[in-house]
Amino acid sequence: MVVKNNGKRFVFILLVVTLIALMMGNVCAEDVNGTNVDTLTPTKSINVEVNYEYTNDNNNVIPDFYIYSGEDKIEYNKELVSSNRFVLTFKDNSSNGYNITALTAGYISQSQIISDSITFNLKASDAYKLGRDVTADADRLLDFKTADDILVVTTAGVTKLNGKSTEDALEAILNYGTKIKYSNVLMLRDTAVNPIDFAFIVKRGNELKAVIYENGSRSYSYLGTISENMTREQWNNYIRSIHGQNAWSFASLANGWVAGVSREVLQEAAFHGHICEGTLGGYSIVKALIKYYPPVQETLTGGGSPADVTSYKILGVPGGSDDDAVLFFLDATIGKTSYVGIDTTATGATENMLGFIRWDAKSLSGDLIIMSFDSKKIKADFKAETGINADAGSLEELKYCTWWINKINKNPEELATFLYEFTNLTEEQYYYLMGTAKSVVHGNVSIAPVESHGLDLKYILSLNLPKATRTVPSGESGSLSDEEMKNIGFEAYNKASAIFKDELNINLGKDNVDLGIFTSAGYVYLNGKETVAVRDGLYEIAGATLYSKNLLQYHQALWKPLWFTFILRNPNSDVLYSVYLRYNPDGTWFVGELNGSNVVDIGIETLNSSAKVKAIQKTFMPDKNWNNIQSIANAWKSNPNFDQIMAFLYHNHVCPGVQPGFFITDYIQQNHPLGENESYNYIASSTYCKDDSLTYLLGVSPGMGTYFVQKLPNSDVTSTYVDGATDEGALVIWDNNLNIGRVVIVSFKWPTIDTSMYATSEAKRAAQIQAFIDLYKGINNPNVLENFVVKTSEEKWITAEQFNLLKSGSGELNTMAYIKSLDGSVTKEDLLKQLEKNNNSNTNANTNTNTNSNSNSNVNENSHSSASSAGVSNNRNMPQSSNSNVGDSNNALDPSSADLSSDDGKSYEVSKKSPAKSINPDYMPYVVIVILIVGILVGVGYMKHRK
């Protein structure tokens, strides 16, 4: 499409036919280069008016159009006449007539047969209507125009409404026409089966007022203060008003925002579900790690950024939010096989402990750094400075988080602790910790397949490794303001526009549905400064958003370069015209070039030429991100579903390996739906790219204590249930109230896809990706010779003790073998009868003991383990109470003064105990009864909670 948006009325069209023909851009190479331009073919002009269901969109949104003659897409010029009226001009060389389609993100496309004058009356999608209506209502209640700033937090996006994803709701919020900034809209990671919630928060000074809509309703659940300065009575009223599970999410994110936390941290917190000491502690740890043990990089040569020689591998103990934070900020995700996490507390590790291997794949050696944040000491420091007990309740924790934020804004690494700093980790030791599915042979070194052992502190300390040497930090240069960051976005767009105009005679235009802006902005740092505001600039000048699937922000590690790729697609062609730019720390720009051109096709025909691909990576995209960009770009061309795009971006590239996660998630949600008080937990045994899409879409993660990684040898994951399949992992559906669950083994068999028509591995990979996208959208793809298979087997009922064994991989325990060894004849009723029997036995035993001596310790110890499977939970309308944060014990029975909270597990990490340290399961029912009694006395509340 060619856009000519000069605001002047189009006149005397017949007198300037030749001029128009010369100026018209065309996606055909010969026309772009100024040759073979047909100046004799007559032109056709049509007047088009587009009316939107929400009338003020007429002034805020520019529609796009497709014109077809038969199956041929026609290129045209578009001239803006008024806010919603256009003149479209194109070559009239078809005898078959023309069809025109109007397209705008959030609206249902319409098509008509072309006549001289056409009017479209576009109707909004259901999700767009919902987003627009709640935004208008929130404006009425909160008066946006008088606010200092506005924050929006919502689960819209991957969640579904009437069977469709709901990203249009976010597009509607931005189109409403208020001063809501693009970077101030936070999308909480959620699942397709969960309801849609919205929280609108306005800031006036340091005061925060919120209106919250739940479960897709246009009527609010809560209107009032959400500030940490609220009274206890106001806090309890807030908690009682929120019927779903996002109370802590909204409050913690809002108060972190007003406290000035880094927007990169806000972004990670939205992924994790909330702000807490684990989120902030993980950020502190990462900042300290890369300050003293930064990535070792190649000597910079040529025009590219230096590549990393080393990579970070993470050893975690799932259950603390810090695990999610370090995975996110380092871009060292499970799907990149960069994380191993099982419960290794029996070896001396703790939940807040993280191991980092800075591994050099060339020298086959590494540094092993073990870090933590000392929660007990930090809380004591907080109490000494403020007089507030952070453990007293949720309201106190809001103040505690603000205190954290003030500390890390001045010195991020101040609250991180280096526990051990080792070097000379050998290859054999590396694979013992990280695991390897197949044999590894390097020279004379041969390592047999071995399961991962994670943060086995006892083993690590037994190695007697020498102490590592810290890098001397280099001073950071001055950082740019938000306005200067926005200007980088403006400048990038203007540079790309000039290049497309100069080389292809194409004006990019605003709200162009076929323009994709791909960037690392918002993840990477520039001279020590976050780059989130760059996205605001791109949104303002181009109208592109993540929710219209036109502004795609790639998950990258903090130190990576700030780059942009502007891509034009043609629905009827495999061509993807791209312009590549990099903004350098010294303020200069790198512009990609190949054979004298700054515009390069990166579509599948290019992928099928090894020579051209090699040349592109040398001079056009020399920053070692070619595969990241081209893979998502070629997938984006086919308009994949929004949930797929989000998983692609989190994984930071597309490959066949990421695809099984989509199908496994769908299978789980359809065949193992959650019942009341149940939650998902996943234990990965075969780890590769699919674990990132599974993490993103199933709503589980190490930081929430619901994703465990014990990589097993290939021989241990060969499926016996489906011929040719792999046992990918174990799914545990846990009942948080009954403290029992069921486990199944998840198997996946790959489809057979014909890629013989392509010569290179990159082109074959692109064809496979296209086939997977079609399969996910239910479109027939002729290259799919045999479909995939997802199957679950070995469904067994398990106790808390057995679940703890699975989570710990205790000793040499193999998760797959252990599940198969369990007694399949045990039913849910059998376990419940046994629990009742144990409960009666314990009750009788306790009549002869002094209950005052230990009753409190029993309740407190169990307050976390009873929720030990927290995760994606189906507790939306089931308020619960927790005695772990009820405030001063003297007031615990007064609902007006108690701090209502819960250890709900949907998006909050949970405490993990090794089997050796876990509570005797015989006492569990008794403890559960005590918790319920205390909860009833205290009152009820329900929230996404935190550690």
Side-chain angles (χ1 to χ4, degrees), residues 13 114 140 247 264 268-269 349 482 524 620 643 688 783 823 941:
I13 185 63
I114 279 186
R140 176 182 64 84
E264 298 253 5
E268 187 280 327
D482 276 358
V524 302
F620 185 70
D643 53 359
Y688 55 94
N783 296 328
D823 184 356

Side-chain angles (χ1 to χ4, degrees), residues 236 239-240 242 244 878-882 900-904 935 939-943:
N236 287 342
I239 295 302
R240 291 189 186 98
I242 305 301
M878 291 295 296
Q880 297 177 357
S881 63
S882 166
L900 301 180
S901 64
S902 83
D903 273 334
D904 168 62
V940 294
Y942 193 86
M943 64 170 63

